[in-house]
Amino acid sequence: MSGMLYLCATPIGNLEDVTMRVLRMLREVDVIAAEDTRQTVKLLNHYGIKTPLVSYHEHNKIEKTPVLLERLLSGETIALVTDAGTPAISDPGEDLVRACQDAGIVVTSLPGASAVVTALTLSGMSARRFTFEGFLPVDKKERGEVLDRLRNTTCTTVFYEAPHRLQKTLQLLCDVAGEDRRIAVCKELTKKHESVWAFTIGEAVLFFKENEPRGEFVLVVEGVDPRELREKEQEHWRGLPLEDHMEMYLSRGLDRKDAMRAVAKDRGVPKREIYAALFGKK
């Protein structure tokens, strides 16, 4: 009978932010697979846990995944932990979870700390709909696609960033989203020097040009106001000649009445204005 994989959320800073269930499981499993054993051993030492550790990270996941699967299939239990927070978010844990699912091994998650949710709740921004992008991709094309989504999204967007890249990332966000978009810059969450700044992106760029970034950062960027986005779209359509706008819908098979209704909606005006402009003089 195969073993079981436990995804154990660990503190993102303050060592007290760990559940009793996670601590019990870290004691009971056969082995703990850790993204950085040097970080995990600090938590284990703090709580007097002696369970053996193995490393499992981005650079060894290809060779380590089958090894861990073999141990699980032989009946061992494994706890997977990341440097800080919940496994499988911005770390290779997702690869091990997928491999376990393919092999028929049971996986369960022991919830707890998450920098994404912590920053979101501290930002004061809408959490009804949000997008988590993690770290910006290194690949220029992929990075451009992420930033393009930010340009017009109405969702709050959350990013992770390291101190040595923060200034460059803030400038990229400013170039795409504009200097007036609101951003919450969160540093060292749950730690002694936790800080949360409520800025516009332009203010954040200037602040960190004058203050050297230190610590780990989470950036929470406000979405575009839906009314502002709608106004931009309507302005775009108004720049199109009315006859061409009508022809676009007629060519899609709409009759004249439905085409006028669609044009009026695009431009944010009553249908009678479209009718008057096209046929009033006739």
Side-chain angles (χ1 to χ4, degrees):
M1 187 173 181
S2 62
M4 192 167 178
L5 177 68
Y6 297 88
L7 309 179
C8 295
T10 53
I12 59 175
N14 192 312
L15 292 180
E16 294 179 1
D17 293 334
V18 61
T19 69
M20 295 176 65
R21 184 183 176 207
V22 166
L23 292 177
R24 176 174 63 82
M25 198 55 59
L26 293 178
R27 289 189 176 97
E28 292 180 357
V29 294
D30 295 299
V31 65
I32 299 170
E35 184 179 12
D36 187 338
T37 56
R38 296 168 300 180
Q39 292 297 321
T40 301
V41 77
K42 296 175 185 178
L43 176 68
L44 301 186
N45 287 342
H46 183 79
Y47 287 101
I49 297 172
K50 306 298 183 181
T51 306
L53 277 172
V54 296
S55 66
Y56 182 78
H57 50 73
E58 185 64 33
H59 303 294
N60 72 0
K61 65 182 182 181
I62 295 177
E63 62 187 70
K64 282 294 183 72
T65 295
V67 174
L68 294 179
L69 281 179
E70 185 177 348
R71 296 184 69 162
L72 287 162
L73 290 169
S74 71
E76 291 190 24
T77 53
I78 297 177
L80 179 68
V81 298
T82 183
D83 282 357
T86 301
I89 298 178
S90 287
D91 76 32
E94 61 188 84
D95 297 280
L96 183 57
V97 171
R98 187 162 50 249
C100 285
Q101 291 173 342
D102 292 341
I105 297 167
V106 178
V107 181
T108 191
S109 181
L110 281 60
S114 169
V116 180
V117 174
T118 303
L120 189 63
T121 58
L122 289 173
S123 70
M125 297 181 195
S126 174
R128 187 177 71 85
R129 294 173 59 241
F130 69 93
T131 301
F132 173 59
E133 292 287 1
F135 292 94
L136 278 176
V138 175
D139 181 81
K140 186 176 181 179
K141 181 180 179 182
E142 291 181 15
R143 183 168 66 245
E145 291 172 352
V146 171
L147 293 171
D148 281 343
R149 287 197 293 270
L150 181 67
R151 193 185 307 274
N152 292 318
T153 184
T154 57
C155 292
T156 301
T157 305
V158 185
F159 296 93
Y160 285 163
E161 196 47 276
H164 65 280
R165 291 192 301 263
L166 181 67
Q167 292 172 333
K168 179 180 179 180
T169 295
L170 287 172
Q171 187 60 60
L172 287 171
L173 297 179
C174 190
D175 293 342
V176 171
E179 61 181 17
D180 294 327
R181 186 90 70 91
R182 288 201 308 150
I183 185 172
V185 180
C186 308
K187 183 187 82 165
E188 297 291 272
L189 291 171
T190 77
K191 299 180 183 178
K192 181 179 180 180
H193 299 291
E194 173 183 283
S195 300
V196 180
W197 293 278
F199 288 134
T200 64
I201 298 180
E203 290 170 342
V205 169
L206 292 176
F207 180 85
F208 286 103
K209 281 183 178 178
E210 299 173 357
N211 298 272
E212 181 183 358
R214 294 182 179 179
E216 298 301 316
F217 290 86
V218 184
L219 310 177
V220 186
V221 183
E222 184 179 46
V224 178
D225 187 319
R227 293 168 298 181
E228 178 186 336
L229 187 59
R230 188 159 53 247
E231 288 172 3
K232 285 172 62 177
E233 291 173 348
Q234 290 171 354
E235 184 179 347
H236 163 75
W237 287 116
R238 289 169 190 156
L240 182 69
L242 187 55
E243 292 79 5
D244 294 345
H245 200 168
M246 272 291 290
E247 181 56 34
M248 182 185 77
Y249 285 113
L250 292 171
S251 67
R252 296 178 183 177
L254 274 66
D255 60 29
R256 193 176 76 173
K257 183 179 179 180
D258 288 340
M260 281 194 294
R261 184 181 292 113
V263 169
K265 182 179 179 181
D266 286 346
R267 293 175 177 247
V269 299
K271 189 177 71 171
R272 64 177 178 272
E273 289 190 19
I274 304 301
Y275 182 87
L278 290 171
F279 308 110
K281 293 180 182 180
K282 299 179 182 180

